Amino acid sequence: VDKVYVIHVSKGAEDRAAHIERQLARLGIEFEYVLEGDMDELSPELLDRWFTGFMKQRTHNTSCCTKHLIACTRLLRDGYRDALVLEDDVFLSDDFVDRLNESLAELRARPDARPGEAFISLENSGLVSITRLGKVERGKTLYRWVHGRETGAYWMSRTAAERFLRKAGTDKVNDFTPLFQSQLFQSGEVQLWWRHPTIAEQ
């Protein structure tokens, strides 16, 4: 993975900072905080740029979505191939690095995958297992789906980030981050994979 971004607020969440920093230090993962986009930084110009409807206001949900879009912006600006994005309250498995690398190797080897346009959901949000949605196959960790989970832990390709930003800039975001992303998953513009077993909890 070229880059790791952690979604975080710039003040008032020191306990979350300590939580995620302990985990990432234990796993040997270097990261960069995304601090821009706090609620008090949501200017009319920024809201006009990416949002519409009930999302076009200073709320926690809009702030969180802004930070995820800023992570996409940084990925493109700095020329990275891909990124891991984590929210600061996520819990990562002890073997997170090995299991993520396992899935990335699988993604790049599978003939039915488009690694350059892919997005992998890593977390167990909603407590919906892939076992309830289809058959688990031996030797596979990635399963195609069209609905996103939450956004506590995911990997995305450069093209996925680019397409999220383009849609936010043209059609605007009118729903929470997972539902906004799902519009591109359902259209096929971004190829969504669910990891099973999951390697993160929120």
Side-chain angles (χ1 to χ4, degrees), residues 14-130:
E14 291 78 9
D15 56 337
R16 290 191 175 201
H19 162 78
I20 196 68
E21 288 172 13
R22 280 194 303 269
Q23 290 192 83
L24 297 181
R26 171 175 53 83
L27 293 168
I29 297 175
E30 296 183 0
F31 71 96
E32 178 178 305
Y33 277 125
V34 177
L35 300 175
E36 303 98 311
D38 286 354
M39 279 179 50
D40 59 3
E41 296 177 356
L42 297 179
S43 65
E45 293 76 19
L46 193 153
L47 292 171
D48 284 340
R49 178 182 179 188
W50 282 332
F51 299 99
T52 189
F54 78 96
M55 289 292 288
K56 192 177 176 180
Q57 54 186 322
R58 289 184 173 184
T59 66
H60 292 293
N61 287 324
T62 299
S63 173
C64 184
C65 187
T66 298
K67 290 173 182 285
H68 283 278
L69 291 171
I70 289 171
C72 293
T73 300
R74 288 193 194 175
L75 172 57
L76 300 182
R77 179 197 68 191
D78 296 332
Y80 295 124
R81 174 190 59 179
D82 59 4
L84 170 67
V85 179
L86 305 171
E87 293 183 352
D88 59 10
D89 59 344
V90 74
F91 290 82
L92 306 177
S93 67
D94 290 339
D95 58 354
F96 180 86
V97 173
D98 290 341
R99 299 289 75 79
L100 175 58
N101 286 334
E102 175 186 34
S103 291
L104 291 176
E106 178 184 337
L107 180 73
R108 291 163 184 154
R110 285 179 59 162
D112 58 340
R114 305 194 310 268
E117 301 175 354
F119 180 105
I120 304 175
S121 172
L122 303 169
E123 67 169 301
N124 196 26
S125 57
L127 302 178
V128 178
S129 170
I130 199 69

Side-chain angles (χ1 to χ4, degrees), residues 143-196:
Y143 296 85
R144 290 280 287 118
W145 200 244
V146 294
H147 299 292
R149 291 162 165 163
E150 299 298 328
T151 52
Y154 61 85
W155 171 93
M156 66 177 166
S157 64
R158 178 180 179 86
T159 297
E162 185 176 45
R163 291 176 180 172
F164 289 141
L165 284 172
R166 184 173 65 228
K167 187 168 184 62
T170 55
D171 297 345
K172 310 302 179 185
V173 179
N174 62 0
D175 217 325
F176 302 126
T177 310
L179 298 176
F180 160 70
Q181 291 175 338
S182 286
Q183 296 175 39
L184 286 102
F185 302 150
Q186 291 164 14
S187 70
E189 294 175 74
V190 175
Q191 190 181 52
L192 170 66
W193 298 87
W194 280 23
R195 194 196 193 282
H196 177 81

